[in-house]
Amino acid sequence: MIKRISSGGEFEAKIGYCRAVVAGGFVHVAGTVGQGDDVVAQCKSALDTVAAALAETGSSFADVVRVNYYLPDRAEFEPCWPLLAQTFGDNPPAATMIECGLIDPKFRIEIEVTALARG
C-alpha cells in the first residue's frame, strides 16, 4: 500500500510530486526548502515542514534513518549544525551533505529524509 501526502507547497503541483510517500515500511520525505533570510532560518523552516509531514504519518525525527542535506555553499552548513544536533538528539540518522545548485538561488538549504513508518 502506498500513501501520498501533500503539503500544498508551490512546487508540488508545478513539478508533479508530493511532500511525502509512505511505502514499504518507510516514509520518504521529498527535498524540502524553507523560508527565511539566512541559512539557519531556512533550515528551521524546512525542518518544521518535514516534521509536519512525518507527524501526518505518525512518525517523528526519532524515526529518521537517513537525512540528505543539499546546499549551494558548503560553508553555510556549519551554522546549521547546532539546530540539526538538537533536532535529532539521541537518535542521529545516517547523513550526507551535498554541495549543489538548488531550484532557486534564494534557497540556501534543502533537506530530505527517510524514516520508519509508524502510522
Side-chain angles (χ1 to χ4, degrees):
M1 182 172 178
I2 295 175
K3 178 181 179 183
R4 290 177 172 82
I5 297 165
S6 174
S7 66
E10 70 173 293
F11 293 113
E12 289 178 36
K14 287 181 184 179
I15 297 171
Y17 75 96
C18 53
R19 176 64 42 218
V21 175
V22 181
F26 290 94
V27 181
H28 305 273
V29 181
T32 303
V33 296
Q35 303 301 312
D37 294 330
D38 62 33
V39 69
V40 175
Q42 288 186 21
C43 183
K44 170 76 169 95
S45 176
L47 289 169
D48 289 345
T49 301
V50 169
L54 290 171
E56 192 166 333
T57 72
S59 298
S60 71
F61 284 117
D63 301 305
V64 173
V65 296
R66 163 137 318 278
V67 60
N68 293 318
Y69 304 104
Y70 305 96
L71 293 93
D73 181 355
R74 66 179 174 250
E76 291 188 323
F77 190 43
E78 189 170 353
C80 296
W81 293 356
L83 178 58
L84 299 171
Q86 176 186 1
T87 297
F88 291 106
D90 293 332
N91 303 291
T96 301
M97 191 285 295
I98 299 169
E99 184 178 40
C100 63
L102 299 180
I103 198 163
D104 187 311
K106 71 181 177 184
F107 297 123
R108 308 311 306 155
I109 189 167
E110 184 169 336
I111 302 170
E112 167 186 63
V113 306
T114 303
L116 291 174
R118 297 289 183 193

